[in-house]
Amino acid sequence: MREIKTCIFDMDGVICDTAKYHFYAWKKLGDRLGIVFTEQDNERLKGVSRMESLEILLSLSDRTYTEEEKLSFAKEKNENYVDYISAMDKNEILPGVLSVLEYCKKEGIKTALGSVSKNAGIILDRLKLWTYFDAVIDGTKVVRAKPDPEVFLKGAAETGTEPSCCVVFEDAYTGVEAARAAGMLAVGIGSEQALPNADFVIRGFEEMSAEQLMNRIRQF
């Protein structure tokens, strides 16, 4: 039976869905610059850094831009995004998440957030979730993006847990790679087709009770 002492959660696509707000923020910037940016274009931005995403957006234009302009655009996009997420509330927590967090608290299992977003704190504020986490590792604490395991290893360190006793919940291929590189069990949230590298995959936390989920993890 596997001993699980800490559960580490990614933010976007696991705790809540902020992907739409990234799209809205990029589209707002594109509209201002006269660039047509569609949801299909947005698919190319998944798992990509802010500056790389900006380059993809600007590649849809015939114009060339200076590095100074690009830095200004990236700042503008983030300001747009923060405006959107600042209007979030606890109704945007994905189904089943609270049940798992409450189960962990009841059973004495530590919890950590493992997100490379520098806006994770704002989202936790809006969702009223700070008290559920023993450690919050976000983009202000890490320098290397996933699939580097830094974010998850810091989560283990801050909760005083050996990586082998941690389970990570992730919805992205690169996030699963990071969890495995950290020596942790990786539970994918989504589809098996998108997450073939996960130890096992569930569609969402509402698929089973928190107790059933943790028992499955312990027996893996």
Side-chain angles (χ1 to χ4, degrees):
M1 180 96 44
R2 180 184 293 269
E3 184 177 20
I4 297 298
K5 295 182 178 180
T6 296
C7 290
I8 305 178
F9 300 79
D10 177 40
M11 174 71 82
D12 186 35
V14 175
I15 298 290
C16 60
D17 181 12
T18 58
K20 60 186 176 185
Y21 298 124
H22 283 292
F23 170 62
Y24 297 159
W26 284 120
K27 187 173 184 340
K28 186 174 181 179
L29 174 63
D31 288 346
R32 190 182 71 73
L33 297 176
I35 299 172
V36 177
F37 185 70
T38 67
E39 290 190 43
Q40 186 174 354
D41 295 321
N42 191 60
E43 288 297 309
R44 298 168 59 194
L45 274 51
K46 288 189 174 178
V48 177
S49 72
R50 189 184 303 166
M51 292 310 294
E52 289 175 307
S53 295
L54 177 63
E55 292 292 351
I56 292 171
L57 172 69
L58 297 181
S59 72
L60 302 173
S61 169
D62 294 330
R63 278 196 57 188
T64 56
Y65 300 90
T66 66
E67 288 304 309
E68 186 178 1
E69 286 177 313
K70 290 177 182 179
L71 289 172
S72 176
F73 295 156
K75 182 173 180 289
E76 181 180 340
K77 181 270 172 181
N78 190 57
E79 289 171 347
N80 292 340
Y81 175 68
V82 170
D83 284 344
Y84 287 122
I85 62 173
S86 294
M88 294 176 72
D89 61 34
K90 60 184 181 181
N91 291 318
E92 297 198 53
I93 300 171
L94 290 174
V97 170
L98 277 177
S99 294
V100 175
L101 290 172
E102 288 167 354
Y103 176 87
C104 289
K105 189 175 284 287
K106 179 171 67 77
E107 295 296 318
I109 300 169
K110 291 184 178 180
T111 54
L113 184 77
S115 169
V116 296
S117 169
K118 291 182 179 179
N119 297 305
I122 297 173
I123 297 171
L124 289 180
D125 277 338
R126 298 304 304 166
L127 302 183
K128 311 294 186 191
L129 287 178
W130 275 105
T131 57
Y132 285 95
F133 291 99
D134 298 291
V136 173
I137 312 300
D138 62 12
T140 66
K141 293 184 177 181
V142 298
V143 295
R144 295 183 294 278
K146 303 168 187 177
D148 190 284
E150 180 186 18
V151 65
F152 296 138
L153 290 174
K154 285 196 171 182
E158 285 207 12
T159 56
T161 311
E162 288 296 317
S164 61
C165 294
C166 295
V167 57
V168 173
F169 298 101
E170 259 286 354
D171 75 316
Y173 187 94
T174 54
V176 171
E177 287 294 283
R180 293 175 66 87
M184 302 176 181
L185 186 75
V187 177
I189 308 294
S191 70
E192 292 183 359
Q193 291 84 355
L195 301 168
N197 53 341
D199 289 296
F200 69 87
V201 178
I202 58 175
R203 290 188 300 274
F205 289 114
E206 75 276 22
E207 187 174 301
M208 62 186 78
S209 72
E211 184 174 5
Q212 288 173 326
L213 174 60
M214 293 307 298
N215 284 339
R216 182 176 178 186
I217 289 169
R218 293 187 184 100
Q219 292 168 10
F220 193 85

